[in-house]
């Protein structure tokens, strides 16, 4: 029996593939991008339990054909087109729908054909939209109010996944991720806007001073960042749980972290990486660029209560592990 991971060579997907293989799953990774040297290096210790298949989830026949070549009993659908800027929405809106909705439908059809036992849909906190301020925590009981093409397609995907499970008799759960960071984040055809942590750890890896001016975030803004390893292990916990009391979970540390706190933590870990001085004009410019408001943190209460899941990495531990991966992999981009 195999577990299918779509988007398995991408940022979050590669972490999922590695953690599942580490836990003993036979993993089939399906992605439009091939497994390059960075991916293979990342999973090298467990590659014997991984089969990489290159293909597009929009290819209905190609996805359905996986049922002929593999005995699939579980699925984590992580393939997505991540768009978080309005100009990209305008430029690539049709692609967002094609990948996030039509592609999902093809993978759900595969689940029906293969008779899978459990289907885990990787959704996003973007499904909540910005209905509450940054001082409020978003729980699964709050109504979804997506206000972007990405958030709309992720919420639609949750509803479609739920209905497929009801109609065709397989267990399903949707998992809304808070903002992930960590190994394997990189520019791809479906991920073009990198996080602040990607940029700052890259500057450390290249021996450059941290540059706040390069960011489009004001220092006191923030996110509920979750280390990608914790994200992957949380998804595995949901996939392998004996039973699921709910079919919707937030996956998050639940901790609000400002960009200033991130910079301070990096400076503590790498003392010679102190940010270069920032003038008042630069600070004002950064705030002007920070035109997209942040939502508040997600709540992980339901996941902790139902499955006992706890994140293993706080900010400092996550950054230390991330920087170590950059050094060992020599990934300086």
């Amino acid at each position: 029996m195999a577990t299918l991971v779509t988007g398995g060579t991408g940022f979050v997907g590669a972490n999922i593939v590695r953690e599942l293989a580490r836990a003993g799953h036979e993993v089939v990774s399906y992605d439009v991008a091939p497994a390059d040297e960075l991916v293979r290096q990342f999973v090298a210790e467990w590659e014997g339990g991984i089969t990489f298949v290159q293909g597009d989830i929009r290819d209905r026949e190609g996805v359905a054909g996986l049922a002929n070549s593999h005995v699939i009993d579980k699925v984590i659908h992580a393939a997505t087109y991540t768009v978080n800027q309005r100009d990209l929405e305008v430029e690539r809106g049709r692609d967002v729908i094609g990948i996030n909705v039509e592609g999902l439908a093809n993978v759900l059809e595969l689940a029906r054909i293969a008779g899978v036992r459990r289907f885990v849909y990787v959704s996003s906190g973007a499904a909540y939209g910005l209905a509450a301020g940054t001082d409020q925590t978003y729980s699964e009981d709050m109504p979804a109010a997506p206000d972007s093409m990405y958030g709309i397609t992720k919420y639609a995907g949750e509803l479609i996944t739920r209905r497929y499970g009801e109609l065709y008799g397989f267990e399903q759960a949707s998992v809304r991720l808070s903002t992930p960071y960590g190994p394997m984040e990189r520019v791809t055809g479906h991920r073009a806007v990198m996080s602040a942590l990607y940029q700052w750890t890259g500057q450390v890896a290249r021996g450059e001073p941290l540059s706040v001016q390069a960011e489009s975030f004001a220092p006191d803004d923030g996110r509920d960042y979750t280390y990608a390893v914790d994200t992957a292990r949380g998804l595995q916990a949901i996939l392998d749980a004996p039973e699921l009391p709910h079919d919707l979970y937030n996956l998050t540390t639940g901790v609000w972290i400002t960009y200033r706190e991130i910079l301070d933590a990096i400076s503590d870990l790498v003392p010679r990486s102190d940010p270069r001085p920032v003038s008042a004009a630069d600070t004002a410019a950064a705030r002007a660029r920070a035109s997209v408001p942040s939502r508040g943190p997600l709540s992980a209460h339901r996941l902790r209560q139902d499955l006992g899941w706890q994140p293993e990495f706080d900010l400092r531990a996550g950054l230390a592990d991330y920087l170590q991966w950059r050094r060992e992999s020599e990934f300086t981009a």
Side-chain angles (χ1 to χ4, degrees):
M1 295 289 186
T3 297
L4 172 66
V5 178
T6 65
T9 68
F11 168 29
V12 174
N15 282 274
I16 296 169
V17 166
R18 187 174 76 161
E19 292 305 317
L20 289 179
R22 188 205 299 264
H25 281 251
E26 177 187 342
V27 182
V28 177
S29 166
Y30 189 79
D31 200 306
V32 69
D36 59 17
E37 181 59 30
L38 189 65
V39 171
R40 293 192 178 276
Q41 182 186 57
F42 187 61
V43 303
E45 187 175 346
W46 305 277
E47 191 168 0
I50 304 168
T51 300
F52 290 102
V53 180
Q54 187 175 0
D56 192 329
I57 60 170
R58 291 173 294 185
D59 177 3
R60 182 174 181 176
E61 293 183 359
V63 173
L66 291 169
N68 298 324
S69 51
H70 304 277
V71 180
I72 297 168
D73 72 332
K74 293 181 178 180
V75 176
I76 295 184
H77 179 58
T80 190
Y81 197 122
T82 304
V83 172
N84 54 12
Q85 291 186 353
R86 182 179 174 84
D87 57 343
L88 289 175
E89 277 192 286
V90 171
E91 181 182 348
R92 304 299 296 274
R94 184 64 184 82
D95 292 329
V96 176
I97 295 171
I99 293 170
N100 294 358
V101 179
E102 295 173 14
L104 167 64
N106 291 336
V107 180
L108 285 166
E109 272 293 290
L110 167 66
R112 178 186 67 81
I113 294 168
V116 303
R117 290 190 292 126
R118 184 168 292 173
F119 189 104
V120 175
Y121 173 64
V122 180
S123 188
S124 168
Y128 289 111
L130 298 171
T134 58
D135 59 343
Q136 289 196 343
T137 300
Y138 289 71
S139 72
E140 294 88 346
D141 293 328
M142 291 183 65
D147 51 7
S148 67
M149 188 70 76
Y150 176 65
I152 290 166
T153 58
K154 298 308 282 186
Y155 182 50
E158 294 175 8
L159 299 179
I160 295 167
T161 297
R162 177 179 294 157
R163 188 56 178 160
Y164 248 84
E166 292 170 348
L167 290 173
Y168 300 113
F170 57 80
E171 292 182 308
Q172 54 75 35
S174 294
V175 186
R176 292 175 179 170
L177 305 185
S178 67
T179 307
Y181 75 97
M184 300 305 296
E185 183 179 8
R186 63 208 191 281
V187 176
T188 67
H190 300 133
R191 187 181 185 88
V193 180
M194 300 295 100
S195 71
L197 288 98
Y198 166 87
Q199 296 181 52
W200 287 329
T201 58
Q203 288 168 347
V204 170
R206 295 187 296 271
E208 302 170 359
L210 298 179
S211 172
V212 180
Q213 298 97 315
E215 301 309 317
S216 58
F217 309 103
D220 293 323
D221 285 344
R223 284 278 180 173
D224 51 338
Y225 280 103
T226 301
Y227 194 51
V229 176
D230 279 333
T231 298
R233 290 175 182 171
L235 288 164
Q236 181 208 331
I238 294 167
L239 183 74
D240 291 340
E243 60 179 353
L244 293 176
H246 296 91
D247 67 358
L248 176 63
Y249 290 96
N250 291 336
L251 205 171
T252 177
T253 61
V255 177
W256 184 260
I257 302 169
T258 68
Y259 299 113
R260 190 183 303 278
E261 290 172 324
I262 295 168
L263 288 167
D264 289 344
I266 294 174
S267 296
D268 287 343
L269 289 165
V270 188
R272 288 177 294 178
S273 65
D274 286 338
R276 63 170 62 107
V278 182
S279 68
D282 288 330
T283 299
R287 291 188 180 280
R289 289 194 300 269
S291 57
V292 179
S294 296
R295 58 161 171 75
L298 307 186
S299 167
H301 176 75
R302 177 179 287 182
L303 185 56
R304 294 177 181 181
Q305 183 177 49
D306 285 1
L307 304 184
W309 176 83
Q310 294 281 354
E312 298 178 31
F313 293 84
D314 61 13
L315 175 62
R316 185 180 179 87
L319 284 171
D321 195 67
Y322 189 10
L323 289 166
Q324 180 179 344
W325 172 77
R326 275 191 174 272
R327 287 192 296 268
E328 291 178 350
S329 65
E330 299 181 345
F331 182 65
T332 61

